[in-house]
């Protein structure tokens, strides 16, 4: 049986074939146990109290409808009415009838403090009472398991009880996910998995405690044209309006998806819509479902800006010059939202998502916030500290904070990423003690510098897992909200974001492959194909994160160095072939879902990449070597596209190369367009000592994937960790997250890399470290690392400059995030021979994936991804 404690209640990941749910324990089976819930002769029976939350009743209808689709038989719902003062067993028996002839157990649903049925069970069942006591008062916690004798006369039941309404609703949807209903059944056409029989497992609990993050949600943003045009087609019912029909019928689909994903929070569309106006029932419907509404960083007080201001406001959008009208405008917004569960956004930005005041008038913003708090106090007739509020520190607003602006402690500070998935700030020790806590506003979609990215799923689970893990460890866990643009095509990223926010303890950096496999099994129902599909999803994400599709051009990947362009196209072609093979094996029922979620992203990604690489290939060319010992397989040709590319093989006449020497040869390739490029080859006729183990120089370079270290040394229990599949190549390394840890150069956790060189540049070598564009997240302590060779003094390096002020980003930031990499170069003394490169951690959060050591001047040729990894002996 489950053991309860006062801490968060979660359980180890279980991977069983009986159910399709991701990440939780399994309580259902499709093979016989003593607890039948639905059989071919007995459809499921659902008991719910009439006094329970309307949203719980609505979710119970989803349970009824979905189980009918899964089992083929419609369950019955018993809507039980009991006295709130003294519910009795006899009252219950009159409404439920005799259970003696039934071979199945009922599903009993209810919310603590709301359901008289559950109150009766809590009074009469010694088995159930301690379990309910353990979740009492805990945000969104719930009990979901078989309970023996939950009520007198009922031998057993599958009980779903929430500490609050969402605790109950999540229990219902978790049950359905285990039964074979994907949260994406509507949004991605994922079929129901049919099972004529459903049983409950004995001695299994799917109970859950409070989630890791309190508010977990999405922001539908930059919704024109894709989402807007689709909504006009699907939800306007042929009518025309001045704005798109983002109405309750559309939002009901969004609310349901969020609840099935165990999310609870939404920033609605805002550029050409007004959630509280376009459909007067939108806010009511959100609360009915159980969704907490808020508004984005530029929309104060639950009013759409600028849309509602243009429609209802009067005068300037200026607090000092138009305070009376702004106060009325915001007061109306708070009144409109006051009956419903909401989080009120404080502050004020300019119209059009721009800064309010270029001079950054902090005193003005403090007056605005004070006025907004007065409105909240007045409308609710209680202290503003009792009403949830958030201040989003987006762009220049973070600059206001850095220059001294503060809000009351009960207001949640919402830190942001840089719009490209790199969190800009983490809470300090002092900030972690604030009663309002803090959170993160993250992006999967963005319109802005250095380039809009909306077209595809171009983010890596490994990266945003690491960023959010930092946020959670540093206490930024009150709100996690992610900008998802049009929602599609970010399904798997949204899915994992919510799964991780629900229980951060369950998913470590080493569990992401397991997650992808469980996701593939849930969506496509094939255990034999799940691993292959998961690998395809992982690899197309890795290819896309190297550069957003919108940033690719014909010269990005080198056509000559390291066979880079050819290698990239080979990766894409392999993925297309593997995904196409899946379409042949997958049941036809799943084709639409598979095409949306996997196959289209693969073939579209390959097509986009080929278009640009082919443009670079489409030329006549000639080739010539500058030395006699360097031989070419051909010296001219015509390339039309990547698929018809011609390879010029280079070989060495070793009889013309002296032992121990390393002469350099250059091949010049000239295109008919007049462009030319050179390829350099170093003929190293060298050997290493037989007892040596480590990397070996080739062509003046040693290229290292950082996970392939020779030795690792921990300091104070902290060591470097491998981040699988992080970045543009194989993986990355980063110091284990230990909050507020930092070390002097040369004193921190250490990775050592042994390498053997045959050259040097006048007794020196240069080392280029390829690191992630991580922001300097902690005031006064920028992200750095330290590096040394052999016994040399460690050199401290800061990859991301600290030259930004007033909430702006560093000048070099655009180039860094466009390439998803920062290259930093240091010089070290090293003659030819055996050496050890030492990489020291100095700050938590630093991430690096590749190190390139250059021992011969000019040895590093242009390539986007860097040289291939060197040989290890």
């Amino acid at each position: 049986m489950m053991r309860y404690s006062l801490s968060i209640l979660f359980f180890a990941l279980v991977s069983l074939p009986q159910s399709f749910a991701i990440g939780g324990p399994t309580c259902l089976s499709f093979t016989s146990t003593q607890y039948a819930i639905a059989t071919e002769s007995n459809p499921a029976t659902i008991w719910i109290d009439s006094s329970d939350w309307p949203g719980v009743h609505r979710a119970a209808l989803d349970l009824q409808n979905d189980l009918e689709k899964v089992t083929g038989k419609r369950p019955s719902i018993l809507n039980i009415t009991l006295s709130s003062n003294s519910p009795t067993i006899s009252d219950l028996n009159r409404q439920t009838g005799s259970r003696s002839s039934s071979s199945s157990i009922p599903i009993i649903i209810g919310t603590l403090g709301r359901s008289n049925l559950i109150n009766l069970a809590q009074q009469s069942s010694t088995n159930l009472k301690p379990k309910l006591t353990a979740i009492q008062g805990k945000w969104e916690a719930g009990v979901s398991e078989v309970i023996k004798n939950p009520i007198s006369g009922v031998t057993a039941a599958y009980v779903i009880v929430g500490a609050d309404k969402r605790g109950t609703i999540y229990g219902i949807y978790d049950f359905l996910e285990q039964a074979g209903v994907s949260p994406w059944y509507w949004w991605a056409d994922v079929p129901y998995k049919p099972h004529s029989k459903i049983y409950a497992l004995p001695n299994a609990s799917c109970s859950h405690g409070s989630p890791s993050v309190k508010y977990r949600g999405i922001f539908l943003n930059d919704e024109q044209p894709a989402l807007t045009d689709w909504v006009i087609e699907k939800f306007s019912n042929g009518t025309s309006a001045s704005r798109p029909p983002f109405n309750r019928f559309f939002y009901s689909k969004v609310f349901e998806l969020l609840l099935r994903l165990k999310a609870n929070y939404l920033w609605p569309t805002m550029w050409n819509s007004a959630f509280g106006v376009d459909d007067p029932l939108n806010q009511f419907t959100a609360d009915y479902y159980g969704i907490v509404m808020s508004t984005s960083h530029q929309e104060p007080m639950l009013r759409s800006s600028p849309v509602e201001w243009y429609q209802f406001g009067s005068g300037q959008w200026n607090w000092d010059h138009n305070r009376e009208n702004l106060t009325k405008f915001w007061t109306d917004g708070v009144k409109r939202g006051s009956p419903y569960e909401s989080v009120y956004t404080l502050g004020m930005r300019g119209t059009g998502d721009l800064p309010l005041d270029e001079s950054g008038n902090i005193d003005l913003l403090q007056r605005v916030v004070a006025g907004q708090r007065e409105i909240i106090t007045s409308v609710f007739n209680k202290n503003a500290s009792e009403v949830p509020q958030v201040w989003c520190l987006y762009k220049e607003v973070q600059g206001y904070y850095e220059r001294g602006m503060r809000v009351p402690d009960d207001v949640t500070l919402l830190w942001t990423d840089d719009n490209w998935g790199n969190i800009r700030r983490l809470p300090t020790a002092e900030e972690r003690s604030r009663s309002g806590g803090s959170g993160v506003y993250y992006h999967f979609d963005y319109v802005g510098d250095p380039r809009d990215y909306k077209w595809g799923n171009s983010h890596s689970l490994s990266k945003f897992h690491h960023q959010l893990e930092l946020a959670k460890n540093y206490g930024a866990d009150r709100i996690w909200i992610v900008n998802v643009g049009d929602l599609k095509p970010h399904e798997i990223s949204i899915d994992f974001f919510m799964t991780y926010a629900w229980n951060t303890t369950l998913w470590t950096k080493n569990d992401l492959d397991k997650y992808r496999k469980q996701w593939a099994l849930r969506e496509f129902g094939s255990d034999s194909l799940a691993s292959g599909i998961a690998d395809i999803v992982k690899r197309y994400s890795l290819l896309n994160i190297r550069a957003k599709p919108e940033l690719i051009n014909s010269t990005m990947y080198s056509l000559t160095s390291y066979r880079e362009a050819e290698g990239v196209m080979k990766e894409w072609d392999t993925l297309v072939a593997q995904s196409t093979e899946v379409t042949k094996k997958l049941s036809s029922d799943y084709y639409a879902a598979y095409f949306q979620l996997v196959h289209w992203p693969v073939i579209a990604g390959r097509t986009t990449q080929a278009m640009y690489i082919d443009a670079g290939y489409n030329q006549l060319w000639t080739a010539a070597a500058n030395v006699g010992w360097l031989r070419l397989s051909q010296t001219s040709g015509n390339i039309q596209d990547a698929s018809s590319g011609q390879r010029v093989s280079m070989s060495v006449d070793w009889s013309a190369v002296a032992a121990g020497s390393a002469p350099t040869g250059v091949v010049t390739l000239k295109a008919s367009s007049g462009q030319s490029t050179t390829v350099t080859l170093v003929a190293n006729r060298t050997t290493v000592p037989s007892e040596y183990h480590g990397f070996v120089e080739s062509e003046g370079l040693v290229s290292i994937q950082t996970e392939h270290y020779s030795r690792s040394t921990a300091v104070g229990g902290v060591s470097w960790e491998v981040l699988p599949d992080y970045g543009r190549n194989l993986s990355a390394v980063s110091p284990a997250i230990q909050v507020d840890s930092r070390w002097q150069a040369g004193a921190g956790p250490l990775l050592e890399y042994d390498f053997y060189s045959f050259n040097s540049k006048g007794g020196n070598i240069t080392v280029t470290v390829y690191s992630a564009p991580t922001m300097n997240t902690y005031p006064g302590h920028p992200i750095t690392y330290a590096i040394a060779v052999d016994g040399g003094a460690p050199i401290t390096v800061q990859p991301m400059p600290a030259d930004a002020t007033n909430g702006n980003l560093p000048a070099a930031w655009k180039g860094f995030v466009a390439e998803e990499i920062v290259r930093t170069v240091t010089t070290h003394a090293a003659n030819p021979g055996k050496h050890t490169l030492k990489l020291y951690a100095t700050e938590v959060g630093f991430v690096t994936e590749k190190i390139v050591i250059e021992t011969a001047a000019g040895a590093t040729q242009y390539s986007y991804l860097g040289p291939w990894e060197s040989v290890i002996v």
Side-chain angles (χ1 to χ4, degrees):
M1 296 297 292
M2 166 183 160
R3 295 180 61 193
Y4 287 82
S5 70
L6 295 179
S7 61
I8 292 177
L9 309 176
F10 277 114
F11 304 91
L13 183 66
V14 179
S15 179
L16 295 175
Q18 288 100 329
S19 77
F20 296 92
I22 292 178
T26 298
C27 290
L28 301 185
S29 173
F30 306 124
T31 57
S32 180
T33 74
Q34 69 264 43
Y35 299 121
I37 292 175
T39 66
E40 293 171 338
S41 57
N42 284 297
T45 301
I46 301 164
W47 294 8
I48 186 170
D49 194 283
S50 60
S51 63
D52 216 319
W53 291 99
V56 173
H57 279 272
R58 191 210 58 78
L61 290 175
D62 281 348
L63 179 63
Q64 181 186 42
N65 293 330
D66 287 0
L67 284 181
E68 181 180 17
K69 293 181 175 69
V70 170
T71 65
K73 292 187 177 296
R74 188 166 182 80
S76 60
I77 292 183
L78 298 183
N79 198 359
I80 296 166
T81 301
L82 297 174
S83 168
S84 59
N85 295 323
S86 55
T88 65
I89 297 297
S90 59
D91 287 342
L92 176 64
N93 289 340
R94 278 195 297 269
Q95 298 176 64
T96 60
S98 173
R99 299 285 302 155
S100 59
S101 61
S102 176
S103 60
S104 60
I105 63 173
I107 303 169
I108 297 179
I109 295 171
T111 307
L112 282 178
R114 184 78 181 198
S115 167
N116 296 324
L117 175 62
I118 299 305
N119 291 343
L120 177 63
Q122 192 170 19
Q123 295 167 15
S124 62
S125 173
T126 57
N127 294 327
L128 184 58
K129 186 174 182 177
K131 298 176 185 293
L132 299 185
T133 301
I135 65 169
Q136 186 84 41
K138 292 181 177 169
W139 178 268
E140 298 179 346
V143 171
S144 298
E145 59 184 271
V146 171
I147 300 292
K148 296 178 181 178
N149 303 310
I151 300 174
S152 178
V154 180
T155 57
Y158 193 93
V159 174
I160 299 174
V161 181
D164 51 32
K165 65 180 175 183
R166 279 189 296 273
T168 310
I169 291 168
Y170 294 145
I172 292 170
Y173 284 131
D174 181 71
F175 182 99
L176 284 172
E177 188 180 357
Q178 291 188 57
V181 183
S182 168
W184 298 96
Y185 78 95
W186 191 86
W187 285 93
D189 303 308
V190 179
Y192 292 84
K193 291 30 171 217
H195 297 282
S196 60
K197 302 175 183 179
I198 299 176
Y199 299 87
L201 293 170
N203 303 317
S205 177
C206 290
S207 300
H208 61 273
S210 294
S212 299
V213 178
K214 185 170 185 177
Y215 296 108
R216 311 164 302 282
I218 63 173
F219 177 21
L220 296 171
N221 189 30
D222 300 318
E223 58 272 12
Q224 179 67 28
L227 184 60
T228 295
D229 289 353
W230 178 79
V231 165
I232 290 172
E233 178 184 332
K234 301 296 183 184
F235 293 96
S236 64
N237 296 320
T239 61
S240 60
S242 60
R243 291 198 292 268
F246 286 105
N247 52 37
R248 65 188 181 278
F249 305 108
F250 162 74
Y251 276 113
S252 292
K253 298 297 185 183
V254 176
F255 300 152
E256 182 189 332
L257 172 67
L258 292 176
L259 293 171
R260 287 179 184 264
L261 294 173
K262 298 185 178 70
N264 61 6
Y265 186 65
L266 179 67
W267 289 358
T269 58
M270 47 79 65
W271 280 112
N272 192 25
S273 61
F275 181 80
V277 175
D278 292 343
D279 185 336
L281 290 177
N282 272 348
Q283 285 180 290
F284 167 83
T285 305
D287 196 68
Y288 166 59
Y289 271 75
I291 295 299
V292 182
M293 291 305 302
S294 188
T295 43
S296 73
H297 54 87
Q298 73 152 33
E299 302 173 278
M301 307 293 275
L302 220 62
R303 299 215 72 167
S304 172
S305 302
V307 174
E308 283 195 66
W309 177 251
Y310 291 156
Q311 184 173 350
F312 302 108
S314 176
Q316 302 177 57
W317 182 256
N318 185 300
W319 179 253
D320 281 345
H321 294 92
N322 198 21
R323 177 172 179 169
E324 182 178 350
N325 284 325
L326 278 166
T327 297
K328 181 182 184 306
F329 177 71
W330 286 337
T331 299
D332 290 345
V334 176
K335 286 180 177 178
R336 187 177 65 197
S338 61
Y340 312 117
E341 196 175 4
S342 307
V343 176
Y344 292 88
T345 298
L346 301 184
M348 190 177 186
R349 296 191 81 216
T351 57
D353 203 12
L354 297 171
L356 177 65
D357 177 77
E358 291 297 335
S359 65
N361 189 333
I362 292 175
D363 182 60
L364 167 63
L365 266 295
Q366 301 253 205
R367 294 197 303 275
V368 168
V369 171
Q372 291 168 340
R373 300 263 292 180
E374 289 174 4
I375 292 170
I376 291 171
T377 296
S378 174
V379 171
F380 283 93
N381 196 29
K382 59 184 177 182
N383 195 297
S385 64
E386 300 176 50
V387 180
Q389 299 150 69
V390 61
W391 185 38
C392 184
L393 299 153
Y394 184 67
K395 290 189 175 180
E396 82 286 347
V397 182
Q398 182 174 326
Y400 302 154
Y401 186 88
E402 290 168 349
R403 288 157 49 210
M405 181 177 172
R406 294 294 183 268
V407 294
D409 264 19
D410 59 273
V411 177
T412 300
L413 298 180
L414 193 64
W415 304 107
T416 74
D417 68 353
D418 61 352
N419 302 307
W420 285 68
N422 307 291
I423 292 177
R424 297 189 63 187
R425 181 73 147 68
L426 294 171
T428 63
E430 179 182 5
E431 291 160 353
R432 293 194 289 273
S433 67
R434 299 178 71 260
S435 61
S438 61
V440 173
Y441 170 34
Y442 204 73
H443 284 76
F444 291 158
D445 177 288
Y446 182 60
V447 172
D449 289 336
R451 180 71 165 85
D452 302 357
Y453 64 93
K454 292 172 61 67
W455 182 75
N457 188 353
S458 55
H459 20 269
S460 160
L461 266 61
S462 298
K463 176 174 179 172
F464 75 75
H465 173 273
H466 186 250
Q467 289 289 295
L468 295 175
E469 183 183 20
L470 282 164
K472 175 60 180 175
N473 277 269
Y474 276 81
D477 58 4
R478 183 64 55 89
I479 299 172
W480 284 4
I481 180 85
V482 59
N483 187 321
V484 300
D486 300 311
L487 194 145
K488 298 175 77 72
H490 305 300
E491 294 94 339
I492 188 171
S493 296
I494 295 169
D495 196 287
F496 181 73
F497 186 94
M498 299 308 166
T499 299
Y500 187 58
W502 177 252
N503 184 3
T504 58
T505 65
L506 191 60
W507 301 101
T508 72
K509 62 186 182 305
N510 297 314
D511 293 315
L512 302 185
D513 280 342
K514 186 182 296 183
Y515 165 80
R516 293 185 191 95
K517 182 177 179 181
Q518 290 190 4
W519 176 86
L521 178 61
R522 184 190 69 189
E523 309 306 1
F524 308 115
S526 172
D527 191 54
S528 62
L529 295 176
S531 292
I533 294 172
D535 188 59
I536 292 169
V537 169
K538 175 174 72 175
R539 287 162 58 208
Y540 87 64
S541 298
L542 290 173
L543 289 172
N544 273 339
I545 200 174
R546 289 174 174 172
K548 306 292 187 188
E550 292 88 344
L551 285 167
I552 295 172
N553 59 56
S554 61
T555 60
M556 174 172 286
Y557 293 111
S558 174
L559 304 178
T560 56
S561 301
Y562 315 119
R563 302 184 183 178
E564 187 172 58
E566 178 187 345
V568 169
M569 284 312 306
K570 184 177 180 180
E571 290 179 274
W572 277 114
D573 288 341
T574 300
L575 272 185
V576 170
Q578 291 175 340
S579 186
T580 301
E581 192 63 23
V582 170
T583 66
K584 297 175 182 177
K585 297 177 180 178
L586 198 65
S587 167
S588 60
D589 293 343
Y590 291 94
Y591 182 80
Y594 184 78
F595 183 83
Q596 294 173 60
L597 297 172
V598 183
H599 197 52
W600 181 86
V602 169
I603 58 178
R606 191 268 175 202
T607 300
T608 303
Q609 189 64 78
M611 177 173 65
Y612 286 106
I613 289 180
D614 287 351
Y617 271 121
N618 190 17
Q619 300 184 53
L620 297 171
W621 60 270
T622 61
N626 69 335
V627 290
W629 51 261
L630 182 52
R631 298 169 177 172
L632 306 178
S633 60
Q634 60 185 105
T635 57
S636 64
N638 179 26
I639 299 175
Q640 296 179 354
D641 55 48
S643 62
S644 64
Q646 299 173 5
R647 175 161 306 286
V648 178
S649 298
M650 296 182 290
S651 59
V652 175
D653 179 2
W654 290 108
S655 65
V657 178
S661 67
T664 298
V666 177
V667 175
T668 300
L669 296 162
K670 292 184 178 180
S672 56
S673 63
Q675 294 176 306
S676 66
T677 189
T678 58
V679 179
T680 302
L681 178 121
V682 179
N684 280 312
R685 191 171 179 182
T686 52
T687 59
V688 298
S690 59
E691 71 278 5
Y692 170 75
H693 300 286
F695 288 93
V696 179
E697 175 201 319
S698 176
E699 300 182 25
L701 295 173
V702 180
S703 181
I704 299 168
Q705 290 293 150
T706 50
E707 78 162 59
H708 295 148
Y709 51 83
S710 304
R711 290 167 298 281
S712 175
T713 303
V715 173
V718 180
S719 60
W720 289 83
E721 295 182 334
V722 174
L723 306 180
D725 308 309
Y726 188 112
R728 310 192 312 170
N729 291 281
L730 175 69
S731 60
V733 296
S734 184
I737 299 173
Q738 182 169 291
V739 174
D740 294 335
S741 291
R742 52 186 52 92
W743 305 268
Q744 295 296 316
L750 169 65
L751 292 179
E752 296 179 275
Y753 300 89
D754 294 335
F755 68 96
Y756 201 98
S757 63
F758 303 107
N759 301 282
S760 73
K761 297 185 281 188
N764 292 320
I765 58 173
T766 55
V767 178
T768 301
V769 173
Y770 290 59
S771 59
T774 307
M775 305 303 294
N776 297 313
T777 54
Y778 203 96
H781 297 280
I783 297 292
T784 59
Y785 68 92
I787 191 167
V789 173
D790 299 331
I795 300 170
T796 300
V797 182
Q798 181 180 324
M800 185 66 71
D803 58 359
T805 58
N806 298 333
N808 295 314
L809 292 161
W813 168 85
K814 290 183 182 180
F816 293 162
V817 297
E819 295 193 16
E820 196 62 28
I821 211 74
V822 182
R823 299 174 184 84
T824 47
V825 182
T826 53
T827 300
H828 306 265
N831 289 309
K834 179 181 179 300
H835 300 283
T836 299
L837 183 144
K838 300 176 181 179
L839 183 67
Y840 294 96
T842 54
E843 288 284 333
V844 170
F846 173 70
V847 179
T848 178
E849 57 187 78
K850 182 191 283 283
I851 299 171
V852 176
I853 302 166
E854 187 178 78
T855 65
T860 305
Q861 301 299 303
Y862 169 76
S863 67
Y864 185 73
L865 300 176
W868 293 338
E869 187 170 32
S870 299
V871 171
I872 303 174
V873 297

